[in-house]
Amino acid sequence: MACNEGVQATNDDASECKRCAAQLGYWEDRYISLFVRAGEKKPPEINRGYYARAKGVEMFIDKFLKKSGSERQIVNLGSGFDTLYWRLKDSNKNVTNFVEMDFPSVTARKCYLIKRNKVLLDKIHVEDGEVRLSATDLHAGNYHIVGVDLRNLHEVEVKLNESEVKFNIPTLFLAECVLVYIDAPQVEQLLSWIAKKFDSALFVNYEQVNMGDKFGDVMLRNLRARGCPLAGVGACQNLDTQRQRFLTTGWNGSLSWDMVEVYAALPASDRQRIEHIEFLDEQELLIQLFQHYCICIAWKGEMFSKIDIT
Ligand SMILES: C[S@@+](CC[C@H](N)C(=O)[O-])C[C@H]1O[C@@H](n2cnc3c(N)ncnc32)[C@H](O)[C@@H]1O
């Protein structure tokens, strides 16, 4: 399964980039350095790209939290070493349940790192006084990490049940650079299963878009060379194909924006602050990068139908 290994390694890349940008002060993340060592310093356009990604996704998480009432849950698909659980805790944004899913080899590493770290462990909300850990899974009061291949729906359902997920409370699904690694029919099967099972859900997907041009071609070739083909790139042709994937799988509505638009929608004072962190020589390159990533949201039920970028 060399291909899976290449895909799993993308988590190390993403975590390293997030650590680098957070350390430079683009945004606050006190936890990412507990999961990944410092790597080489990344170029400014990569740091800004990650800033737009982190803040863009956060903008929709906040919108979900504002609309969803007191009983709500978050399911992070292909979560890698994401630290959202701890960051939400620090900002007193409570959720009833928080579930992370990734390949067992990735969750095993995450569980191991959490087990060894008091800062991480102390923040995990424990209702029944214990954190249950296996080699690949962690179950605590309202936090669950489960090892699963998202292409196997039966396994996904079993793991969600083990995590005490409720199908009738508002649920946010996050997928940051994940669906693009999965074959289109399997993504469609997953999306329609979620739309069928959950009464009220918001899906926030961040990944590539406009991949049919030269820039996209180079990106594809580079990833393929690293043993990481983008099996799901068909849905990444444009903003419309991103939305259609949800509209044909039972979701009630969908909107999408490229990262040029998402970046412009972030508060001007925040943009000014981060634009002073590093001098950016390659404006053109940053714009090209922004044009090739997007956020696509989709909702099931009425609760999240009015969510927009503004
Ligand atoms: C680019 S990383 C992103 C990690 C995290 N979402 C972030 O933004 O930091 C992609 C993640 O998706 C996971 N992934 C890809 N395909 C998967 C599948 N079929 N089942 C479970 N996880 C998968 C990989 O293992 C990896 O951790």
Side-chain angles (χ1 to χ4, degrees), residues 134-193:
S134 72
T136 62
D137 295 8
L138 177 155
H139 294 286
N142 74 339
Y143 182 43
H144 306 265
I145 304 177
V146 288
V148 64
D149 185 335
L150 294 168
R151 296 168 294 190
N152 182 337
L153 269 193
H154 172 69
E155 227 183 298
V156 168
E157 180 158 18
V158 168
K159 292 287 180 170
L160 285 177
N161 284 326
E162 283 175 7
S163 306
E164 291 165 9
V165 157
K166 293 185 184 143
F167 296 102
N168 60 353
I169 66 171
T171 304
L172 172 65
F173 286 87
L174 295 173
E176 240 186 273
C177 280
V178 177
L179 303 183
V180 71
Y181 297 112
I182 303 177
D183 277 324
Q186 285 162 320
V187 173
E188 279 157 25
Q189 169 189 284
L190 177 67
L191 296 182
S192 35
W193 182 82

Side-chain angles (χ1 to χ4, degrees), residues 5 13 50 80 85 100 103 113 139 150 235 265 291:
E5 279 164 29
D13 259 13
Y50 268 87
Y85 176 79
E100 298 186 347
F103 281 120
L113 291 165
H139 294 286
L150 294 168
Q291 287 167 337

